[in-house]
């Protein structure tokens, strides 16, 4: 639509200006590395407000035409973040870690500026990314980090995906309303807004409606004689410099309505005065997966390969498409994260 193209022109103009400023590069150099995520990738995204016809307050969320549209948008946003980060490092990569982090604050570099620009272009009033950012800032503003109150336990998705979800984890894909939580997903067919409202209000009977599919395991959800689940995550912490530097090593498995996902993520932190900040340094991560089927048998082996970047947080994962309930993870056997940081190497497995 004309409005969509206008928004995308505005978004790409903002991103190009930011890239020019941060990378201090010429127009010719910028044109050598165009934003290949053209307006076509973001085409037909709409911000919609849905009601059930009887409620005065609607539910606002982004709308995508299909699962492919949703997934491709996530991929495009991730690519924009990489370009944004690489532009910054192309100018300042000669600095050591402390100087690089100081320079980042000095010039006002914002890691996820492309995501902010995307939200602004679509006039998104409240995203899960915004909610996570506020909660994380509050959590880091402490002398000691309480790992039990880490907001990533609630906001358990990659940052690009959280940009596409409203603050309550909701998005419209075709005629499906999808709600993502730290406990699993709720898929509501036929744009059944009334049922979504009931679920948001805590009505557990709404999960029994014929339009609803969910993998939230209210009763534990284990298969008889096995230890497999659709949705699990675990953090491991290493304070490798006492009261100064630490990393969070995260592994998880999520079974979406259309795919299974295994992920390993490493995030770096450094203490600054009486609070903590994410800290840019050389990080490495890889993911090995062994998916189980819905009966917790058979297996699907996958290896992600390594990713090494000078970042505050990086992840690597494997996914396989298949209609729910295609995949589960087995306790201690399905998701392995391999991590490298500050001369250390370690492997962590998803257990519960």
């Amino acid at each position: 639509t004309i409005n969509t193209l206008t928004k995308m022109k505005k978004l790409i103009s903002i991103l190009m200006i930011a890239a020019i400023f941060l990378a201090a590069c010429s127009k010719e150099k910028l044109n050598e590395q165009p934003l290949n995520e053209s307006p076509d990738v973001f085409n037909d995204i709409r911000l919609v407000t849905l009601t059930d016809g009887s409620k005065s307050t609607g539910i606002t969320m982004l709308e995508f035409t299909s699962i492919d549209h949703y997934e491709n948008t996530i991929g495009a946003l991730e690519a924009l973040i990489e370009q944004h980060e690489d532009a910054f490092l192309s100018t300042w990569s000669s600095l050591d870690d402390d100087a690089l982090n100081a320079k980042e604050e000095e010039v006002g570099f914002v890691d996820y500026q492309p995501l902010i620009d995307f939200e602004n272009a679509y006039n998104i009033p409240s995203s899960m990314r915004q909610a996570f950012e506020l909660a994380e800032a509050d959590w880091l503003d402490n002398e000691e980090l309480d790992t039990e109150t880490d907001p990533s336990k609630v906001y358990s998705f990659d940052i690009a995906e959280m940009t596409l979800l409203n603050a309550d984890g909701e998005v419209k894909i075709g005629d499906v309303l999808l709600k993502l939580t730290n406990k699993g997903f709720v898929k509501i067919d036929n744009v059944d807004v009334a049922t979504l409202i009931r679920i948001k209000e805590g009505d557990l009977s709404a999960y029994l409606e014929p339009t609803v599919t969910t993998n939230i395991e209210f009763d534990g959800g284990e298969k008889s004689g096995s230890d497999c689940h659709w949705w699990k995550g675990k953090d491991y912490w290493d304070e490798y410099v006492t009261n100064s530097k630490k990393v969070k090593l995260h592994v998880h498995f999520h079974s979406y309505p259309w795919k299974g996902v295994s992920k390993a993520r490493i995030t770096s932190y450094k203490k600054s005065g009486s609070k903590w900040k994410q800290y840019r340094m050389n990080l490495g991560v890889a993911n090995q997966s062994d998916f189980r089927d819905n009966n917790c048998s058979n297996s699907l082996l996958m290896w992600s390969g390594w990713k090494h970047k000078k970042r505050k947080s990086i992840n690597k994962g494997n996914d396989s498409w298949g209609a729910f309930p295609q995949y589960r993870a087995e306790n201690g056997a399905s998701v392995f994260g391999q991590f490298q940081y500050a001369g250390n190497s370690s492997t962590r497995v998803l257990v519960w």
Side-chain angles (χ1 to χ4, degrees), residues 54-349:
S54 63
K55 299 289 183 178
S56 58
T57 302
I59 305 171
T60 300
M61 66 185 74
L62 286 179
E63 177 186 67
F64 296 85
T65 59
S66 66
I67 292 169
D68 282 340
H69 188 202
Y70 177 73
E71 290 278 0
N72 290 339
T73 302
I74 293 173
L77 289 175
E78 290 173 341
L80 288 176
I81 295 170
E82 286 295 307
Q83 292 176 16
H84 181 64
E85 291 267 11
D86 289 344
F88 172 75
L89 287 175
S90 69
T91 302
W92 307 110
S93 58
S94 62
L95 300 177
D96 63 30
D97 289 347
D98 284 344
L100 183 62
N101 281 270
K103 178 61 67 175
E104 183 171 328
E105 292 194 15
E106 176 188 330
V107 302
F109 178 76
V110 179
D111 308 61
Y112 300 125
Q113 189 62 48
L115 305 182
I116 297 170
D117 294 338
F118 178 87
E119 291 167 347
N120 290 339
Y122 284 92
N123 298 313
I124 299 171
S126 179
S127 71
M128 181 179 279
R129 186 204 66 80
Q130 295 168 7
F132 169 70
E133 183 178 42
L134 290 173
E136 184 184 48
D138 184 61
W139 176 68
L140 291 171
D141 190 18
N142 286 284
E143 182 80 24
E144 300 295 334
L145 290 183
D146 182 356
T147 59
E148 293 304 311
T149 60
D150 181 351
S152 67
K153 289 181 176 293
V154 176
Y155 305 105
S156 56
F157 306 95
D158 290 342
I159 197 73
E161 181 164 32
M162 289 197 289
T163 304
L164 305 185
L165 306 173
N166 68 15
D168 292 326
E170 297 151 355
V171 65
K172 183 175 182 288
I173 304 176
D175 65 353
V176 167
L177 303 178
L178 181 68
K179 184 177 181 67
L180 299 178
T181 79
N182 63 335
K183 299 182 184 302
F185 73 79
V186 184
K187 173 178 172 283
I188 305 173
D189 293 324
N190 303 327
V191 197
D192 185 355
V193 180
T195 295
L196 175 59
I197 291 173
R198 288 169 56 198
I199 288 172
K200 289 168 69 73
E201 292 175 346
D203 182 355
L204 295 182
S205 69
Y207 290 92
L208 302 177
E209 293 294 335
T211 56
V212 173
T213 303
T214 184
N215 65 355
I216 296 177
E217 299 171 330
F218 295 101
D219 59 353
E222 295 183 11
K223 289 290 183 182
S224 177
S226 72
D227 195 7
C228 276
H229 284 276
W230 290 309
W231 202 276
K232 285 290 184 180
K234 186 172 180 63
D235 296 332
Y236 295 89
W237 288 86
D238 181 14
E239 189 169 313
Y240 60 94
V241 178
T242 303
N243 202 36
S244 177
K245 294 180 180 179
K246 61 176 67 180
V247 291
K248 176 172 62 181
L249 313 176
H250 171 83
V251 286
H252 75 236
F253 179 83
H254 291 166
S255 182
Y256 284 71
W258 63 89
K259 66 177 181 177
V261 179
S262 167
K263 193 67 64 81
R265 181 186 304 116
I266 180 170
T267 306
S268 166
Y269 303 89
K270 183 180 180 182
K271 195 169 188 180
S272 177
S274 59
K275 62 183 181 180
W276 292 80
K277 295 182 178 181
Q278 287 197 15
Y279 183 73
R280 187 181 299 275
M281 60 184 290
N282 286 316
L283 300 172
V285 64
N287 178 227
Q288 180 175 319
S289 311
D290 190 358
F291 289 8
R292 301 294 191 259
D293 63 21
N294 192 46
N295 296 314
C296 205
S297 59
N298 302 317
S299 67
L300 176 62
L301 289 167
M302 289 177 284
W303 166 249
S304 69
W306 279 94
K307 179 176 182 179
H308 293 93
K309 289 280 187 177
K310 181 164 282 195
R311 297 285 194 265
K312 298 174 183 177
S313 181
I314 58 173
N315 65 73
K316 198 70 175 172
N318 299 301
D319 61 64
S320 181
W321 284 45
F324 179 81
Q326 182 75 9
Y327 297 115
R328 285 186 179 231
E330 184 174 359
N331 188 7
S334 287
V335 182
F336 300 84
Q338 297 189 32
F339 305 96
Q340 295 177 347
Y341 56 96
N344 300 298
S345 296
S346 64
T347 299
R348 295 291 185 266
V349 61

